[in-house]
Amino acid sequence: MIHKTTKLLGSLLVLGAASLQASNMHVSVNTGGFLDALGEAKDGMQVAVVFDLNGDGFGGYDAFDFSLSGQYLTSGGVATDDLFVFGTEGFALTTFAPMFGHGSLAQVSNIDTTGLLEGTAFSLIWFAEGGAAVGQHYGLVSHENFIVPTDGGVTVAPMPFGSLVPGAADYTFAAVIPEPTTVALGLGLVAAGLVALRRRQA
């Protein structure tokens, strides 16, 4: 899925225009089908949440340090409006469940939604190889019910039962590509250094 990158300023303007959510959210999943890049059900994969603040889609992410909750992800070296968050107790993990087999997930608990708009869409993201380095695989799954609940609501669940189909972790994290202005600045500094070196030698 193509992800449209946006500037964070736009996200902040949107957040300032409506009432904000302040609570912890629980996502009741209760299904299997969380697969690795080879399409095999796998236990022990870390699962978190990505919030799409401007409603422009998910995916296309650059590699990042996935041990840091509460960060905005980048795509093509440009900041997006997609906020990466895991539970206050850490990642949820896929496991074996008698009803669903391997690669199952019961819930993602204690996701901090403080400052997020009610109705903000989110996806579950899972990490097939235990990290978010360049070339490692991740999966994303969305659902029409995956939105930040109204004030007082804490649990989100896909309905009817079994309607969530996670699938394979068929995305890969990309290398961060510097913006042209950053490259130009770097080249300028190198050129200035060479000029200074030549003057000293002269």
Side-chain angles (χ1 to χ4, degrees):
M1 181 180 296
I2 297 176
H3 186 104
K4 297 181 293 183
T5 58
T6 58
K7 296 296 184 182
L8 293 182
L9 178 60
S11 300
L12 295 175
L13 291 175
V14 171
L15 288 175
S19 62
L20 301 179
Q21 175 77 12
S23 67
N24 276 358
M25 178 184 76
H26 307 283
V27 185
S28 179
V29 183
N30 292 317
T31 192
F34 287 87
L35 312 178
D36 63 14
L38 300 177
E40 299 177 354
K42 183 178 179 180
D43 299 338
M45 294 188 294
Q46 299 97 328
V47 184
V49 168
V50 176
F51 294 98
D52 178 20
L53 273 64
N54 281 345
D56 54 5
F58 302 89
Y61 300 129
D62 299 329
F64 70 104
D65 181 357
F66 84 148
S67 68
L68 301 176
S69 183
Q71 62 179 304
Y72 288 94
L73 303 182
T74 64
S75 178
V78 179
T80 73
D81 62 313
D82 293 358
L83 180 64
F84 169 75
V85 181
F86 50 75
T88 56
E89 298 175 358
F91 289 102
L93 297 175
T94 58
T95 187
F96 174 81
M99 183 177 295
F100 305 113
H102 295 285
S104 299
L105 184 67
Q107 65 179 358
V108 183
S109 301
N110 296 316
I111 300 295
D112 186 6
T113 57
T114 301
L116 296 179
L117 291 173
E118 299 169 9
T120 298
F122 66 86
S123 285
L124 298 181
I125 182 171
W126 66 98
F127 302 87
E129 289 131 10
V134 174
Q136 289 188 314
H137 292 82
Y138 66 100
L140 286 167
V141 63
S142 301
H143 192 277
E144 61 183 4
N145 290 349
F146 280 0
I147 58 174
V148 174
T150 57
D151 285 335
V154 295
T155 300
V156 177
M159 295 294 288
F161 181 75
S163 62
L164 185 69
V165 183
D170 51 7
Y171 296 89
T172 55
F173 291 107
V176 178
I177 302 173
E179 293 187 58
T181 53
T182 303
V183 175
L185 176 61
L187 292 175
L189 292 174
V190 171
L194 290 175
V195 169
L197 180 61
R198 288 178 181 175
R199 287 178 177 173
R200 288 180 182 177
Q201 292 175 343

